[in-house]
Amino acid sequence: ETSVSEKGEFKKFLHEHKQIGASGEIEIVGNEVKFSYTKDGKTKTASEKLPENFVVSPTIVGYLQKHWAELVGGKTLEVRYGVVDRKETVGFDFKKHAEVDVNGKKLFSIKMRPSSFIIAAIVNPLYFYFEADGSKLVKIEGRVQPKKKVGSSWKDLDALSVYEY
């Protein structure tokens, strides 16, 4: 994954998924989000109006940190998440889920779940664990980019990602 920003503004997200032989791009052009996805030698494109609350995977942590006081205060944040292989944005909510103690350190768990009940039925929530002040992401539980080989096909994988500083 590669993310490009100009003057602190997100501009482009490039995703190369070597496991499945696919690649894609999400780019902000004016007030539009443009999508391009290539798999099996076929490229498909789409575009939609740029939503105010737009995020892609590399911008999620910064978005949560920017809105940290609102999150820990109990507010639910609604975003439109750019999904490269779907060539569209999908609604998700972020909400403070729990306060936990891990090795004597207080962490806040932020739950990311699809806002559509249809998508929520097939996509499990993700959990982002931050230090109490929101400064550091400690771990993420849930869907990850790598896939798991099951028989002759690739299946989605939920995992634990731990970050060390």
Side-chain angles (χ1 to χ4, degrees), residues 133-151:
D133 65 358
S135 64
K136 291 182 182 172
L137 176 64
V138 176
K139 65 181 180 175
I140 301 173
E141 293 178 359
R143 183 69 39 91
V144 293
Q145 290 295 332
K147 303 274 187 188
K148 177 173 59 171
K149 186 87 173 203
V150 177

Side-chain angles (χ1 to χ4, degrees), residues 129 137-140 161-165:
Y129 292 84
L137 176 64
V138 176
K139 65 181 180 175
I140 301 173
S161 302
V162 178
Y163 300 88
E164 293 184 8
Y165 296 88

Side-chain angles (χ1 to χ4, degrees), residues 52-120:
E52 246 182 72
N53 55 351
F54 176 75
V55 296
V56 291
S57 57
T59 66
I60 289 174
V61 171
Y63 186 87
L64 295 177
Q65 289 171 326
K66 181 178 177 181
H67 297 278
W68 190 250
E70 296 164 76
L71 279 169
V72 297
K75 183 175 180 184
T76 298
L77 300 178
E78 297 176 358
V79 300
R80 296 297 299 176
Y81 178 73
V83 182
V84 72
D85 58 327
R86 291 179 58 100
K87 301 171 300 303
E88 67 179 345
T89 63
V90 176
F92 280 87
D93 297 336
F94 289 95
K95 185 174 185 172
K96 179 179 156 189
H97 174 255
E99 294 179 30
V100 296
D101 183 74
V102 176
N103 299 327
K105 187 176 276 192
K106 181 178 174 181
L107 302 179
F108 284 112
S109 167
I110 306 298
K111 182 179 182 179
M112 176 185 180
R113 67 171 187 84
S115 51
S116 160
F117 73 92
I118 295 169
I119 296 174

